[in-house]
Structures are given as structure tokens and as C-alpha cells.
């Protein structure tokens, strides 16, 4: 359920209430049902700004991690091959 802003027509208090779309809320101050839903603008999404230098550093770190991961993968594959061929040899 969305959070809406309301104003009471009887006592003039303003409040927020979680209600279904199209429904009205009862005033928490005086209990009146004569409330008006107010327009409340939604804030714009925050945009993160990356400096080019930080973006390059981030890309460089990612490339290093990928290279290290690939190297670990190759090493593990090499070890598996050596273990597999070592057991099948007869002396």
C-alpha cells in the first residue's frame, strides 16, 4: 500500500497514512472522515556520479580480478590433468 499525505477538512491537521489507492483515511487528531488526499511529488532518483579516474580504477581492479580468477582456473585444470595422468601410469 502506498503512503499518502492527507489534510483534514474539519481540524486542518496534515498527516501521512498507508491506504489503498483511491481510499481515504480517517484523521488521527479528530477522527473525521472528511479528509483530502494531497499531492506529494516524488523526489527524483539520486544519480551517482563517477569521476573518470574512479571509473578507470574500477575497471582496472575488475580486470585484475578477472585475470587472477582465470589464472586460478587454469592452475586448477592443470593440477587435475596431472593427477589424472599420474594415476593411470603403470611402473
Amino acid at each position: 500500500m502506498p503512503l499518502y499525505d492527507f489534510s483534514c477538512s474539519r481540524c486542518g491537521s496534515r498527516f501521512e497514512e498507508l491506504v489503498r489507492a483511491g481510499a481515504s483515511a480517517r484523521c488521527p487528531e479528530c477522527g473525521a472522515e472528511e479528509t483530502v488526499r494531497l499531492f506529494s511529488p516524488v523526489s527524483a532518483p539520486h544519480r551517482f556520479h563517477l569521476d573518470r579516474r574512479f571509473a578507470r580504477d574500477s575497471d582496472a581492479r575488475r580486470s585484475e580480478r578477472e585475470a587472477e580468477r582465470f589464472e586460478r582456473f587454469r592452475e586448477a585444470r592443470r593440477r587435475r590433468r596431472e593427477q589424472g595422468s599420474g594415476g593411470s601410469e603403470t611402473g
Side-chain angles (χ1 to χ4, degrees), residues 6-7 19-20 27 42 45 47-48 52 54 58 63 74 76 86:
F6 288 93
S7 175
V19 295
R20 295 189 192 280
C27 177
V42 177
R47 296 183 135 201
F48 292 102
R52 288 181 185 152
F54 293 125
S58 177
S63 296
R74 287 180 56 197

Side-chain angles (χ1 to χ4, degrees), residues 16-47:
E16 293 179 336
E17 191 71 37
L18 285 170
V19 295
R20 295 189 192 280
S24 64
R26 187 175 284 241
C27 177
E29 297 291 322
C30 67
E33 293 184 10
E34 298 88 29
T35 57
V36 177
R37 195 172 96 196
L38 303 173
F39 174 75
S40 53
V42 177
S43 64
H46 181 71
R47 296 183 135 201

Side-chain angles (χ1 to χ4, degrees), residues 72-84:
R72 285 193 309 267
F73 174 74
R74 287 180 56 197
E75 183 63 27
R77 190 170 49 181
R78 184 187 60 76
R79 275 189 263 128
R80 278 193 302 254
R81 251 188 273 133
E82 287 176 357
Q83 289 174 353

Side-chain angles (χ1 to χ4, degrees), residues 61-73:
R61 284 193 306 270
R62 184 176 60 242
S63 296
E64 289 172 10
R65 284 193 311 266
E66 289 174 355
E68 289 171 1
R69 188 174 66 88
F70 182 70
E71 195 57 40
R72 285 193 309 267
F73 174 74

